[in-house]
Amino acid sequence: QADVSHLKTFLSALRLAHQGTDAGVLPLSTLVPAKTSEVEKPKTKMIITSRRDYPLTKSFPYSLEHLQASYCKLARIDTRVLCLRKLRKLDLSHNHIKQLPATIGDLVCLQELDLHDNHLESFSGALCCSSLQKSLQLLDLSQNRLRALPLELCRLRALVTLRLDDNELLRLPCSIGRLSRLRFLSAARNRLPFLPTDFRRLSLENLDLFGNPFEQPNPLVPNIQLKIPLTLLECAARAAVNHRIPYGCHLLPSHLCEDLEVAKTCQCGSACLSSFIQITVTMNLHHVAHTVVLVDNMGGTEAPILCYFCSLHCYSQFLDRHLQSNG
C-alpha cells in the first residue's frame, strides 16, 4: 500500500548508493513517521455468514484468532483453515460437514470448537488424543447425527462446556466423570435410556437432559453377567485396578489396556470388568448439578443411572438396604 512514486525514488537511490554514488546527491526524501491510521494491524477476527462471502481465491490471514464461517454450505473443513495455528475460536456451525480431519488436532491454541447444525455422524477419538485435550474448553456438537461418542472424549480434560443436544446418542461415554472441569453439559433430545455410573462424579453448574426416553429403573431386575469362579484374566484385571498397578501398551496388549481404562466400580469401591451385576437406580440430578433443566414435562429432575456390583454379596447387601428403605 506504499506510494508508488516514493517507492521508485527509494529503489533508485538504493541502486545509486550500491554503485558508490556520494550520499549527498542521492534523491532521498525526508523520512516522516507513519501515522497510526496508516499502519494496518494484524487481523485477528473474521466472521462469514453466507456462501457468497466465503473467500475462494484469497488466503485467510495467518493472524486470525477467531474465525466464523456459518451458513456457507461447507461439506468439509477447508485445509486453509487448518493452517491457522493461532486460532482460539473456530465456529463452523450451520454447514454440511460430515467428517472432521485429524489435522484439527494440530490447532494447538484452539479453545472453542462450534460444529452446531452439521451432518456429523461420528467424532474421532484421535482428535481427543491430540493437543485439543489440553486446550479445548468448549465443544458444541449439537444438532448433528451422532449415535455414539468415543471413549477418548473423556481425555479432553480442559472442557468446561459440552453441548450434545439434538443428536441420536444412545449412550454417554462411560468415563465421563473424568471431565473434572466440566461445568455446563447439555444432551437434550437424544435417545438416552440411562446415564453411565461415572456420571455421579461430575460437578456441574448447569445440566440439561430434557427429552430423553429414560427407562424406568428397576433394581429388582438385575442384568447378571457374573462368571463364577472368576476367570484368571478378571482376577488379574481387578487386582491391577484396585492396587493401581501401572500398566501400558508396552506391557499389555492394547485391547486389555482399553478394558482396564473403562473398568466398572462396585458400590464397595472394588473394580470389575466383564464379570458383574448391573442394575439401574434413580438419581436426583441435583446431586451433580446446581441448576437442572427439567427432565420431562412432569417437572422431574431424576434420571436412571447404571449401578454395578462385583459379587452377589455386594448386590444382596444393596438389595437389603433398598427393600428396607421402601418399607
Side-chain angles (χ1 to χ4, degrees):
Q1 296 181 4
D3 183 277
V4 176
S5 60
H6 288 174
L7 186 59
K8 287 181 178 178
T9 302
F10 172 75
L11 291 174
S12 175
L14 195 64
R15 179 173 56 81
L16 292 172
H18 182 66
Q19 293 173 353
T21 304
D22 185 15
V25 298
L26 292 177
L28 291 172
S29 58
T30 304
L31 293 177
V32 180
K35 298 177 182 178
T36 305
S37 59
E38 295 174 338
V39 178
E40 185 176 353
K41 296 180 181 179
K43 192 167 187 177
T44 60
K45 185 175 182 179
M46 178 181 286
I47 296 179
I48 306 164
T49 54
S50 67
R51 186 171 178 83
R52 67 174 179 274
D53 296 330
Y54 192 83
L56 297 176
T57 56
K58 294 193 302 180
S59 297
F60 292 99
Y62 286 113
S63 54
L64 281 182
E65 296 179 9
H66 177 185
L67 173 61
Q68 177 181 346
S70 302
Y71 302 99
C72 296
K73 299 182 181 179
L74 299 177
R76 61 182 63 86
I77 297 181
D78 196 328
T79 54
R80 293 173 298 166
V81 171
L82 301 173
C83 297
L84 304 176
R85 297 305 171 86
K86 294 184 179 181
L87 270 185
R88 295 181 180 275
K89 182 175 181 179
L90 177 58
D91 183 347
L92 297 172
S93 58
H94 307 287
N95 281 295
H96 300 160
I97 298 170
K98 295 182 178 179
Q99 194 171 7
L100 301 176
T103 42
I104 280 190
D106 296 335
L107 300 176
V108 295
C109 297
L110 195 64
Q111 296 177 352
E112 298 185 18
L113 178 58
D114 189 344
L115 296 163
H116 169 75
D117 188 20
N118 274 281
H119 297 169
L120 291 174
E121 295 181 354
S122 64
F123 189 79
S124 170
L127 291 179
C128 307
C129 301
S130 66
S131 61
L132 295 183
Q133 62 183 317
K134 295 182 179 180
S135 65
L136 197 64
Q137 298 176 20
L138 181 149
L139 177 60
D140 191 340
L141 297 173
S142 57
Q143 206 168 329
N144 276 279
R145 301 171 181 174
L146 298 170
R147 295 176 63 87
L149 293 169
L151 295 174
E152 293 84 356
L153 184 81
C154 303
R155 295 190 181 186
L156 299 175
R157 300 296 178 86
L159 269 187
V160 176
T161 301
L162 177 59
R163 298 176 187 143
L164 303 169
D165 311 290
D166 299 292
N167 277 283
E168 301 172 20
L169 293 174
L170 299 168
R171 300 285 189 277
L172 292 178
C174 61
S175 301
I176 194 170
R178 295 181 183 179
L179 299 176
S180 58
R181 297 185 183 179
L182 194 66
R183 295 295 176 265
F184 302 90
L185 172 61
S186 57
R189 295 172 298 279
N190 276 278
R191 297 166 60 188
L192 301 174
F194 43 71
L195 301 174
T197 187
D198 210 43
F199 201 87
R200 296 178 186 273
R201 295 172 55 192
L202 292 175
S203 180
L204 306 171
E205 291 182 24
N206 191 284
L207 173 63
D208 184 359
L209 295 174
F210 179 81
N212 280 284
F214 286 126
E215 296 177 354
Q216 186 67 28
N218 189 351
L220 303 180
V221 183
N223 174 15
I224 300 177
Q225 298 292 329
L226 274 180
K227 301 177 182 67
I228 300 175
L230 296 178
T231 64
L232 179 59
L233 177 60
E234 179 76 15
C235 290
R238 289 187 179 192
V241 177
N242 291 336
H243 298 290
R244 300 182 180 180
I245 299 173
Y247 61 87
C249 292
H250 61 294
L251 296 173
L252 299 173
S254 58
H255 70 280
L256 290 180
C257 291
E258 291 171 4
D259 289 344
L260 289 169
E261 282 290 311
V262 297
K264 303 159 185 66
T265 304
C266 175
Q267 296 279 293
C268 71
S270 298
C272 48
L273 275 78
S274 59
S275 183
F276 55 82
I277 297 176
Q278 173 190 294
I279 62 172
T280 52
V281 296
T282 300
M283 180 182 71
N284 192 318
L285 297 176
H286 281 293
H287 290 161
V288 296
H290 182 267
T291 301
V292 177
V293 176
L294 299 181
V295 173
D296 51 43
N297 292 322
M298 303 300 291
T301 58
E302 296 182 338
I305 186 168
L306 288 177
C307 189
Y308 294 94
F309 302 94
C310 64
S311 64
L312 283 170
H313 174 70
C314 287
Y315 176 61
S316 62
Q317 283 190 326
F318 164 82
L319 205 55
D320 288 342
R321 295 193 300 270
H322 175 76
L323 294 174
Q324 288 174 9
S325 64
N326 286 276

